[in-house]
Amino acid sequence: MIVHFIENIGAKVFNVTLAFLSVITFSLLSFLNILAPNNYTFKIKKKLTLQLYRTSLYSLSPFSLLAFLLGFIVVGVFIIIAAEYNFHLQIGTLIVNFIVNVFAPVFTAFYILNKSKILSKNEDFENTLIPYALSSVISTFSLSVLFATIILTSSYIPIFFFMHMDLHTYKQLVITSIEVQDIITLSIKSILYGFIIVIIPVYGRLHSSTTLHILRKIIFSVFFIELISLVIKSSLS
């Protein structure tokens, strides 16, 4: 029985390792495929343009409004927590660390995933990968920056009402709280997430995975990246 149990564990580890290596290989080949200029035919360019419009420009107004409202709600919660545990002096750092480093890239990635409709697509690899992946990376990066900017701007409203802070003090608080590593983290995460939310669905469709299974893999990948980011940030600080 013990031998059979060990064999089952070994088989599962082996299968997981093979699946992981398969995804990594597919991702690298896909990345090289995106970089190849010869792949950008007129059909691909047209689909890329349409995809960029659908995921970025077309949804810009509702996305901005959503970011504004979320900024008001999220920062309001942070102020309540800060008042409860006496973290008033750290409110700027808390907001920046959560909004810029975590919330902006994660929320934007899943927003783009929903808008791109790639989970419901059954197109072939050649016609799907380049326009969807490239538009996803560009849209996730640009909208993540916009999302963080709008939230940090709208955050002044609850801070003004609850903490009676003037605009100049708030601007100085945000500027001093944002570091270069925060901007780098936001950029790297948004680009990675933009790539992941396309590569995993395309890979899953090629291997006949269900939508729920694909979504689980995306959530796990995002969680794993956030965990690594937290470990790296803790080791550097």
Side-chain angles (χ1 to χ4, degrees):
M1 182 179 292
I2 296 177
V3 175
H4 183 65
F5 178 72
I6 294 174
E7 286 177 350
N8 286 337
I9 292 178
K12 288 181 179 180
V13 171
F14 181 74
N15 290 333
V16 170
T17 303
L18 280 181
F20 178 74
L21 291 176
S22 177
V23 172
I24 294 298
T25 303
F26 179 76
S27 300
L28 289 174
L29 291 175
S30 301
F31 181 70
L32 293 175
N33 195 37
I34 292 171
L35 294 180
N38 296 332
N39 291 328
Y40 289 84
T41 61
F42 176 76
K43 184 178 180 180
I44 296 295
K45 290 178 181 178
K46 182 180 178 181
K47 183 164 289 192
L48 172 61
T49 305
L50 290 174
Q51 215 26 49
L52 280 171
Y53 174 76
R54 181 184 298 145
T55 56
S56 296
L57 297 177
Y58 180 75
S59 57
L60 193 59
S61 296
F63 180 82
S64 301
L65 178 61
L66 189 59
F68 182 86
L69 294 175
L70 284 174
F72 188 88
I73 296 170
V74 171
V75 174
V77 172
F78 267 100
I79 292 173
I80 294 172
I81 295 173
E84 182 72 21
Y85 295 98
N86 198 24
F87 287 155
H88 293 89
L89 297 178
Q90 290 80 28
I91 189 69
T93 304
L94 289 172
I95 292 173
V96 168
N97 283 340
F98 179 73
I99 299 298
V100 177
N101 293 339
V102 180
F103 194 44
V106 172
F107 178 85
T108 306
F110 282 100
Y111 183 86
I112 297 297
L113 177 65
N114 177 60
K115 286 297 179 180
S116 66
K117 306 293 183 184
I118 194 168
L119 286 175
S120 61
K121 299 291 181 182
N122 290 298
E123 302 180 48
D124 59 277
F125 172 79
E126 183 180 356
N127 291 330
T128 301
L129 179 64
I130 293 178
Y132 279 91
L134 196 56
S135 65
S136 178
V137 169
I138 295 172
S139 298
T140 306
F141 172 74
S142 56
L143 290 184
S144 290
V145 174
L146 177 65
F147 186 84
T149 304
I150 292 175
I151 284 193
L152 290 177
T153 303
S154 64
S155 297
Y156 176 66
I157 299 174
I159 286 179
F160 173 76
F161 281 106
F162 289 105
M163 300 180 67
H164 308 291
M165 186 182 294
D166 62 89
L167 183 59
H168 178 72
T169 303
Y170 176 71
K171 285 193 297 182
Q172 291 299 117
L173 181 68
V174 172
I175 292 172
T176 54
S177 298
I178 296 178
E179 299 178 359
V180 176
Q181 69 178 30
D182 295 318
I183 300 173
I184 294 174
T185 301
L186 173 64
S187 302
I188 293 175
K189 280 185 180 180
S190 58
I191 292 172
L192 274 177
Y193 292 159
F195 189 67
I196 284 172
I197 61 175
V198 170
I199 288 299
I200 292 179
V202 171
Y203 180 85
R205 292 304 182 199
L206 290 175
H207 291 78
S208 304
S209 297
T210 62
T211 301
L212 183 59
H213 186 62
I214 292 171
L215 193 56
R216 281 182 195 156
K217 286 185 175 180
I218 293 174
I219 294 173
F220 175 79
S221 299
V222 170
F223 176 78
F224 184 70
I225 291 173
E226 288 298 329
L227 185 61
I228 292 177
S229 174
L230 183 62
V231 171
I232 292 175
K233 187 170 183 178
S234 299
S235 62
L236 292 177
S237 57

